[in-house]
Structures are given as structure tokens and as C-alpha cells.
Amino acid sequence: MDEGPAGRIILSKTEDRDKEPSTLGEYSICSWILTILSYILVFFTLPLSACLCIKVVQEYERAVIFRLGRLLPGGARGPGIFFIIPCIDSYKKVDLRVVSFDVPPQEILSKDSVTVAVDAVVYFRISNATVSVTNVEDASRSTKLLAQTTLRNILGTRTLAEMLSDRENISHQMQSTLDEATDPWGVKVERVEVKDVRLPVQLQRAMAAEAEATREAGAKVIAAEGEQKASRALREAAEVIAESPCAIQLRYLQTLNSISAEKNSTIIFPFPIELLHRLLPSSSSSSASTPKLVDKMS
């Protein structure tokens, strides 16, 4: 016989096992006696006792029955009619429909040290009625509390940009995490959606100013590129007109046509530049001869 710690543990376990049959035997005898007495009482009080024995659950419900504090074999009952013994049986109805609830706004410090308030909505249902009753006190409340902590833990590892642009992946990660954690409770998380990410007012103003500055810079760049393309086109047009002197006259006629189409009373007559060049020498010579005439007259 082993005298070490392991031997003592094994010995204690065997002693506990030896004690279990007598306890179970005593409990089983008492349970049988109470069960027989309950059946006799129900039989002698018929048909009044039938109102207490017959129960009905809806299509979306299941009934978990306990007899003398122990779960009855066979799992949850329903939908439809099931029977209980009023004296020794107790049951609990479980709703299998999908339940939705709003996760209260959580103040979260993001990975890049920005405080935001995030809220979400969670959709879940009971997948195993028996486990949801026996393994957890309140499956719905436990799932709601777990959703809040999961939301804080997951978003605490993300930056603000990821929260705003990568909501779908965050929702899928939350769903898988919640589904894995609530599986021992008999709960199935169907869907998780991040509703809103609320930023501080000062941060909203800073982001709006940054976005406005970015748009203005982009507009200036686009305008400068347009001016550059327009100047190149004008240069090419000037070269074409310089090669053909008649082109300027055609352009002049086209301009007059467009002005007359708008019903304007103003008509512009261009003055040829070549004529100015011809008149300039004559005007300069006349101005030079005028002083001579004045001298002769004097």
C-alpha cells in the first residue's frame, strides 16, 4: 500500500465511492416512498388533480422537469402536453426564440489612446434548454454581462481607424468569442452588430478640420492641373493660328456668331494689330516734323 500523497488521494476517493451506494440507496428508498404516496394522492383526488398534472408548452418553449430536486431523464419536454406529479415535481419553461438586447454604451480606451463610447446589439437564443437551466443560474443575464466585457476587451485592442472602418470583422470576432464562451450554458449567439462609435466633441472637430483641409488641398491640386492642361491647349491653338493667318478671321466670325445667338446688343469689332504697326511709324514722323514747322513760323 502506497503511503505517499498520491496513495492518500486514491484511498480517500475509494472511501467516498464506498459511501455513495448507501446514500443513494437511502435516497432512492425515500424517493420511491414519496413517489408512491404522490401517485396514490393523485389517484384518489381525480379528476381535480388532473388540472394540476396536465401542463402545456408552446411550440417555441420547452419544459425542464425536476423530481425531488433531480433532473428527469429524457431531456426537456415539449412542445405540447406533458404530465407532472404536483407533490414532488417542479418544472421551468424555457423560451427558445431569438432574443435581442442592446449593449449599453461602453467607455473604451482604444489602442491609440482615444476614448470612445461604443454600443452594440446582440442576438442569441437557447439551443439546449436543459443545459441552460442546470449549468447557469440566469442564462440571459449572464450572456448580457459577458457581451459587455467582450465588447470592451475586443475594442481595446483596436485603433480608432479600425473601429470606424472594420466593423464587420469586429462583429464576427465578437460573435465567435461569445458563442464559444456561452456554449457550456446552452446559448447560441446568432449575430452581433456594432451600432455606433461616438467620439468626443473636440476630436470630431479636429477630424472635420483635417478632412476639410485635405479636401481643399485636393481641390487646389486639381485646379492647378486644369490650368496646366488649359495653358498647354492654348499654346497649341496659338501655334495653329500662327501657321494660318485666316484662322484668326474664322475665329472672329465664330465669336460674333456666338454673341449674336445670345441676343446681346453689344458688338465687338477687333482692331487689327498689323494696322497699328503700320500707323506707328507715320505718327512718330509727323510728331517729329511738327516742331520744325513751329520753328519756321516763329
Side-chain angles (χ1 to χ4, degrees):
M1 183 176 179
D2 190 3
E3 296 180 356
R8 294 175 184 174
I9 294 173
I10 295 172
L11 182 59
S12 62
K13 288 184 178 180
T14 55
E15 290 177 355
D16 293 339
R17 291 176 182 174
D18 294 338
K19 293 179 181 179
E20 286 178 359
S22 60
T23 305
L24 291 175
E26 293 175 0
Y27 185 79
S28 63
I29 293 173
C30 294
S31 64
W32 276 110
I33 293 173
L34 292 175
T35 302
I36 293 172
L37 292 176
S38 299
Y39 274 112
I40 293 172
L41 180 62
V42 169
F43 179 76
F44 281 105
T45 55
L46 284 174
L48 297 177
S49 60
C51 299
L52 300 176
C53 295
I54 300 175
K55 301 294 180 181
V56 179
V57 291
Q58 304 296 330
E59 181 69 28
Y60 52 85
E61 293 178 334
R62 296 295 183 270
V64 181
I65 304 176
F66 295 90
R67 177 163 295 172
L68 296 174
R70 292 195 174 188
L71 182 66
L72 282 183
R77 304 308 196 264
I81 299 175
F82 66 96
F83 300 91
I84 64 170
I85 302 175
C87 300
I88 59 176
D89 287 351
S90 62
Y91 72 97
K92 183 176 182 180
K93 288 184 180 181
V94 180
D95 196 335
L96 302 183
R97 291 177 293 183
V98 177
V99 179
S100 63
F101 73 94
D102 292 328
V103 179
Q106 304 292 312
E107 293 288 338
I108 299 171
L109 184 64
S110 63
K111 189 176 180 180
D112 50 355
S113 301
V114 178
T115 303
V116 295
V118 184
D119 56 352
V121 59
V122 179
Y123 301 88
F124 70 95
R125 62 179 176 85
I126 302 297
S127 59
N128 192 328
T130 303
V131 174
S132 66
V133 174
T134 57
N135 286 9
V136 63
E137 181 181 1
D138 190 345
S140 178
R141 181 173 178 273
S142 300
T143 303
K144 293 178 181 180
L145 294 176
L146 183 61
Q148 296 180 17
T149 57
T150 304
L151 179 65
R152 296 175 66 90
N153 293 337
I154 291 178
L155 294 183
T157 60
R158 300 297 185 99
T159 61
L160 179 60
E162 292 175 349
M163 292 182 191
L164 298 175
S165 62
D166 201 12
R167 294 189 180 185
E168 186 175 357
N169 290 335
I170 293 174
S171 299
H172 287 311
Q173 185 179 359
M174 282 189 61
Q175 178 184 355
S176 61
T177 304
L178 284 174
D179 195 16
E180 182 180 357
T182 57
D183 185 65
W185 302 342
V187 176
K188 172 66 177 177
V189 178
E190 297 285 346
R191 190 178 183 86
V192 178
E193 291 291 340
V194 178
K195 291 176 59 179
D196 189 17
V197 179
R198 284 176 286 184
L199 306 176
V201 178
Q202 296 179 352
L203 183 59
Q204 292 180 11
R205 294 175 180 174
M207 294 179 66
E210 181 182 1
E212 185 177 358
T214 303
R215 288 193 296 268
E216 289 180 357
K220 291 180 180 179
V221 171
I222 294 173
E225 292 178 353
E227 292 291 338
Q228 184 180 8
K229 293 179 181 179
S231 61
R232 290 177 180 176
L234 290 174
R235 184 186 65 181
E236 294 175 358
E239 292 176 355
V240 172
I241 291 175
E243 294 175 358
S244 177
C246 296
I248 189 65
Q249 299 298 328
L250 294 176
R251 181 61 180 164
Y252 165 63
L253 294 176
Q254 185 180 4
T255 304
L256 290 179
N257 186 19
S258 61
I259 292 174
S260 62
E262 297 178 359
K263 298 180 180 180
N264 292 326
S265 59
T266 303
I267 299 177
I268 301 173
F269 291 97
F271 191 80
I273 303 298
E274 293 82 0
L275 186 60
L276 288 175
H277 287 295
R278 292 176 183 177
L279 293 176
L280 284 175
S282 60
S283 62
S284 60
S285 60
S286 61
S287 61
S289 60
T290 301
K292 295 180 179 180
L293 293 173
V294 173
D295 293 338
K296 290 180 180 180
M297 291 175 63
S298 59

